[in-house]
Structures are given as structure tokens and as C-alpha cells.
Amino acid sequence: MRKTLIVGNWKMNLERLGARSLVSAIRSKLDPQSARLKEQREIAVAPPFVLLYAVSQELAGSDILLAAQNMHFEDSGAYTGEVSPPMLKPFGVRYVILGHSERRQFFKETDDLINKKVKAALRHRINPILCVGETADQRKEGRTLDVVMAQLEGGLEGIEASQLSSLTIAYEPVWAIGTGVNATPEQAQEVHGIIRNRLQARFGTELAQGARILYGGSVTPENAASLLAMPDIDGALVGGASLKADSFAAIVMAGLG
Ligand code: 13P
């Protein structure tokens, strides 16, 4: 069975004190003794790079994992302003979000670059969360599946079957990010199902069935349970609602069996 993964993507928000108090508030709202929580949820937060240390300290002794929002694919070198996988590892970073639509849109990240980052993450045993998703125009033009499949194939180019269990896919329709308009559970399920079919065609049924596919885009405490109830939605990548302890904790606990 796939364990539901809820990741808070803080984007370029918060500073040290705010980050520490957010983590401490999230911890106080999640009962560490809850067997249902332990069994059914994996939780991670993705702060900006400069907050990783403070957040790692605040997370000490909890089950909440640390994620990064991006990274470079080289280990070191003349790449002013960049951060490499070996720099992230000592903070205990377990996941890295790669190819987020904001990276694609504002920083011109291509599938080829994202693929290099996915490979670098796997090489360093940081679990990549590969983001894919269509814009509003692409959906209107009926190109959703073409766009998502091209991003999926591009991001996973050269990835071997043995690496799939370390990988998470996140479907984040660009039109749903930060807009308050989430994909309906049916709209998201349709794309998630097709992503899984594609993984199955490439890596086989067993591995594809084990792969987690997260949904992201205006996830709230109100819509989380219905999204997570869909058969191929294995978690959520949460932006705005992850910046408040109440709403993030409510999403984490949404639909617990
Ligand atoms: P929102 O939850 O703010 O729509 O952001 C989603 C997102 O981009 C998570 O990576």
C-alpha cells in the first residue's frame, strides 16, 4: 500500500523566527502518539534553503521530514547562487521538489535540466518529487495529457526501474496553483490514472502500483479529504495552506481512516 505523503511547500515565505514558530505549532497540533497518523501519513515541509538549519532543529525528535524546494545538479563548481545535493544532505533533507511550475515559468527550467536534477537527487539518495502540470491555455486547447506526458517522459529520461521507488510524481495544474480553484477530484484522478498507466507501461505493474503521485494546487482543509480519497491520489503538495499550522495540520489529518 502507498502511504499518503503530505508536503508543505513554503515557497519564498517566512524567515527564521516565523519558520520556527510554524513548525512548533504544527507539531503541537499533530499527536505523535496517534497510531493512525503514524501508519497512514508521511509528512514533510520544504522551507527555503536558508531556513533548513533552523527548521531541522525545530523538527528534531519528530516524524516530520525535511524537503528542499530545488537544487543544482552538480556537486560543486562555479554556479553563483546555486545549492548542490551534498550541501543539502547534512541537514537531513529527504525530499527535493524538482521542476515546480514556478521554476519552469520564472527560471526557464526545461525538462532536460529537470532530468539532470532528478538524476543528481537519486545519485545522492535525496528523493525527488518531480512536478508536472498544464497551464489553463493548454487545458483549454485539449493538450493537458500531451503536456503532462512530455514533462513526465522528459523528467524521467534514463531513469531505471530500480529507481522508481525513490521517486514521487506531483501533478500540479498551473491554473490551480495559488488561485483558490483546485482541480476537482475527478479531474485530478483522470490525470493521475494516466500518469500511473504510463509508469506501468514503462516500469511494470508492481513498481507503478507502488509509486506515489501527489496532487497540488489550492489544496485546503475543505477539499483535501475528497482529493485524497481518489484511488490514484497518494498525497498532496500544499502551498498557501502549508503556511498556517491549523490548515496544514488539518490537511495532514484529512480523511484519516
Ligand atoms: P497552492 O497550494 O498555494 O495552490 O500552491 C500549490 C503549490 O504550488 C505547491 O507546490
Side-chain angles (χ1 to χ4, degrees), residues 7 9 11 97 100-102 131 172 176-180 216-219 237-241:
V7 183
N9 175 9
K11 308 193 180 185
I97 300 169
H100 191 282
S101 66
E102 289 149 16
C131 301
E172 296 207 305
I177 295 178
T179 60
S218 296
V219 176
L237 189 48
V238 187

Side-chain angles (χ1 to χ4, degrees), residues 1 4 34-35 49 83 88 93 102 146 179-180 196 203 246:
M1 260 316 283
T4 300
S34 163
F49 290 133
V83 171
L88 295 175
V93 168
E102 289 149 16
D146 287 350
T179 60
R196 196 177 308 285
F203 299 108
D246 281 342

Side-chain angles (χ1 to χ4, degrees), residues 3 5-7 41-47 49 52 55-56 59 62-71 85 87-98 118 120-130 165-168 212:
K3 189 170 182 177
L5 172 62
I6 309 289
V7 183
R41 294 289 183 268
E42 192 175 338
I43 310 162
V45 291
F49 290 133
L52 285 171
V55 170
S56 72
L59 289 176
S62 83
D63 290 330
I64 302 174
L65 302 171
L66 199 56
Q69 298 176 15
N70 177 35
M71 62 173 205
M87 293 173 183
L88 295 175
K89 283 290 277 190
F91 295 103
V93 168
R94 294 278 286 274
Y95 289 97
V96 60
I97 300 169
L98 296 175
V118 168
L122 291 167
R123 205 162 48 240
H124 288 279
R125 302 197 183 288
I126 301 174
N127 301 309
I129 301 175
L130 170 65
S165 62
S166 307
L167 243 152
T168 299
R212 280 192 297 206

Side-chain angles (χ1 to χ4, degrees), residues 4-254:
T4 300
L5 172 62
I6 309 289
V7 183
N9 175 9
W10 295 359
K11 308 193 180 185
M12 195 174 72
N13 291 296
L14 300 173
E15 32 51 61
R16 194 168 58 89
L17 292 179
R20 290 194 86 122
S21 56
L22 174 59
V23 171
S24 139
I26 292 169
R27 288 188 68 171
S28 72
K29 288 179 194 306
L30 298 174
D31 175 7
Q33 305 306 331
S34 163
R36 286 188 313 156
L37 197 57
K38 265 189 196 303
E39 278 160 22
Q40 298 178 33
R41 294 289 183 268
E42 192 175 338
I43 310 162
V45 291
F49 290 133
V50 293
L51 299 178
L52 285 171
Y53 178 68
V55 170
S56 72
Q57 294 224 305
E58 203 65 44
L59 289 176
S62 83
D63 290 330
I64 302 174
L65 302 171
L66 199 56
Q69 298 176 15
N70 177 35
M71 62 173 205
H72 198 270
F73 59 86
E74 294 281 9
D75 288 4
S76 64
Y79 300 100
T80 301
E82 291 293 304
V83 171
S84 75
M87 293 173 183
L88 295 175
K89 283 290 277 190
F91 295 103
V93 168
R94 294 278 286 274
Y95 289 97
V96 60
I97 300 169
L98 296 175
H100 191 282
S101 66
E102 289 149 16
R103 302 288 322 164
R104 294 177 190 263
Q105 183 184 351
F106 300 125
F107 304 97
K108 305 290 171 260
E109 292 201 1
T110 60
D111 289 326
D112 181 48
L113 175 72
I114 294 160
N115 178 245
K116 289 196 173 89
K117 295 183 178 199
V118 168
K119 287 175 174 157
L122 291 167
R123 205 162 48 240
H124 288 279
R125 302 197 183 288
I126 301 174
N127 301 309
I129 301 175
L130 170 65
C131 301
V132 298
E134 82 287 1
T135 63
D137 284 347
Q138 289 164 338
R139 177 164 278 262
K140 268 191 224 112
E141 292 159 9
R143 293 171 51 216
T144 297
L145 296 180
D146 287 350
V147 169
V148 169
M149 289 307 128
Q151 291 172 342
L152 187 71
E153 297 287 343
L156 297 184
E157 169 74 34
I159 298 303
E160 288 164 23
S162 61
Q163 298 175 303
L164 191 63
S165 62
S166 307
L167 243 152
T168 299
I169 308 295
Y171 171 57
E172 296 207 305
V174 179
W175 49 270
I177 295 178
T179 60
V181 181
N182 59 288
T184 64
E186 293 73 22
Q187 281 174 323
Q189 168 58 33
E190 183 190 12
V191 179
H192 282 230
I194 291 165
I195 291 174
R196 196 177 308 285
N197 285 345
R198 185 60 65 99
L199 294 177
Q200 187 162 324
R202 172 135 169 229
F203 299 108
T205 307
E206 197 180 334
L207 290 172
Q209 286 303 322
R212 280 192 297 206
I213 308 171
L214 314 184
Y215 167 78
S218 296
V219 176
T220 63
E222 289 72 36
N223 60 29
S226 59
L227 285 159
L228 294 175
M230 301 311 274
D232 289 300
I233 300 185
D234 308 312
L237 189 48
V238 187
S242 73
L243 295 170
K244 296 224 166 62
D246 281 342
S247 48
F248 188 62
I251 291 169
V252 166
M253 291 185 287

